[in-house]
Amino acid sequence: MKRKHSIFVNLFPKFLAISFLFFGIVSPFQAQTLSYGPNISLEQAKKVIAAAEAEAKKNQWNMAIAVVDTGGNLVLFQRLDNTQIGSIEIAKGKASTANNFKRPSRALEEAIEKGGIGLRLLAVPGVFPLEGGELILLDGKIIGAIGVSGAQSTQDGQVARAGVSALSSK
């Protein structure tokens, strides 16, 4: 019995991917034609976090802010004082979701809101379909993503976009 279970666990991610392609689950949410570029540097990540933190502080929002590279790996993380602990994993998850699906995490939230086929996204492990994850682009290429958590999702998104603007405005 254990052997069958371990085979199922090992094959489940492949089964999900094939199911998504075969049954057209991905079609309404096709990845943008964006491509990945070089990974975000630590200095760039610091600028993004600083701008996001400034927006959060301006509004007196306690937030967790994560920046990931093109592989979804954490580059830099910051949690403002008094931010709820639960926001740590959510911020990292939103950043990875935006990066891995090549779109703001809000797009997946909208797909679920519509119901129907979009509800199948809830079965995908590690997906955070909540506003607050944004792509970080440089020269039209994805170099990473930012995820923010700690307030309402719309406020998380506002802070994430403020962080992204730190690189696009310079």
Side-chain angles (χ1 to χ4, degrees):
M1 193 73 162
K2 281 186 179 180
R3 183 180 173 113
K4 286 183 183 179
H5 175 72
S6 66
I7 290 172
F8 175 76
V9 170
N10 291 337
L11 294 178
F12 184 71
K14 290 178 185 175
F15 170 76
L16 264 178
I18 291 168
S19 296
F20 280 116
L21 294 172
F22 183 78
F23 294 111
I25 297 170
V26 175
S27 61
F29 324 110
Q30 288 297 326
Q32 297 174 11
T33 57
L34 294 170
S35 60
Y36 294 103
N39 283 319
I40 189 168
S41 70
L42 179 59
E43 287 307 311
Q44 291 167 323
K46 286 178 180 179
K47 289 178 185 175
V48 169
I49 293 247
E53 180 183 350
E55 181 70 12
K57 285 182 174 180
K58 177 179 88 174
N59 291 288
Q60 298 179 342
W61 296 329
N62 299 325
M63 301 195 149
I65 307 164
V67 173
V68 299
D69 64 17
T70 59
N73 304 300
L74 189 62
V75 174
L76 194 59
F77 175 82
Q78 189 153 316
R79 181 173 60 95
L80 280 64
D81 292 341
N82 298 314
T83 301
Q84 60 195 12
I85 301 300
S87 290
I88 295 169
E89 291 304 318
I90 295 170
K92 292 191 285 187
K94 287 178 180 184
S96 292
T97 295
N99 178 74
N100 296 347
F101 284 86
K102 294 183 172 182
R103 71 195 68 240
S105 57
R106 172 72 179 137
L108 286 92
E109 180 179 357
E110 289 169 349
I112 290 170
E113 285 174 351
K114 291 177 184 174
I117 202 165
L119 293 175
R120 295 179 182 173
L121 286 168
L122 294 172
V124 181
V127 171
F128 286 74
L130 305 162
E131 185 172 356
E134 296 286 336
L135 293 174
I136 302 171
L137 303 174
L138 188 63
D139 299 327
K141 304 260 186 197
I142 300 167
I143 62 169
I146 182 174
V148 177
S149 178
Q152 295 178 12
S153 287
T154 54
Q155 295 165 331
D156 295 348
Q158 178 181 329
V159 170
R161 287 185 294 278
V164 168
S165 71
L167 290 185
S168 62
S169 64
K170 294 180 179 178

